[in-house]
Amino acid sequence: MTDQTYLRRWQRAAYQALGEFLMADGLPAVTWTIPISGALVADVDSLTSTPDEQRAAFAAWARHLNADVMPERTASGGTVHLYAKFSWRGERVRTTVRGAIRASIYPPMEDER
């Protein structure tokens, strides 16, 4: 098989896994992407969510996917980065799908303080 065949197979598996993820009730909406590698990447929204809501969304998905949560990092500008990685095999997906959950929590702007 060609490399492209493997890449498409991995993307199809991620697509199927995402379909199963979105069937779960009670989880907050996040942005999902499927890169060429076939990994699934969830980004918690920073524009319409408060920092507490971002943390709650991140934690909910990390729990649901039994993700390995990394220690949070704070950048020099005060942005807090949350990251967790997961491996998941669902009911309909024959392949293990890997992925990550990310959140960037920005400090308040000057006019928000």
Side-chain angles (χ1 to χ4, degrees), residues 57-80:
F58 177 86
W61 277 103
R63 270 191 313 277
H64 181 72
L65 297 172
N66 196 28
D68 184 15
V69 179
M70 305 291 121
E72 68 180 54
R73 296 177 296 115
T74 303
S76 60
T79 302
V80 176

Side-chain angles (χ1 to χ4, degrees), residues 13 16 89-96:
Q16 290 171 334
R89 189 174 186 131
E91 295 175 17
R92 291 180 237 156
V93 181
R94 295 182 184 145
T95 304
T96 298

Side-chain angles (χ1 to χ4, degrees), residues 8-60:
R8 286 191 306 275
R9 179 184 296 166
W10 295 336
Q11 286 182 322
R12 280 192 302 272
Y15 177 78
Q16 290 171 334
L18 180 57
E20 289 186 30
F21 290 1
L22 297 177
M23 296 302 291
D25 289 329
L27 290 167
V30 294
T31 300
W32 289 99
T33 54
I34 302 174
I36 292 172
S37 67
L40 273 168
V41 181
D43 285 300
V44 177
D45 183 42
S46 64
L47 294 176
T48 61
S49 301
T50 67
D52 288 342
E53 290 169 335
Q54 285 181 270
R55 285 183 182 280
F58 177 86

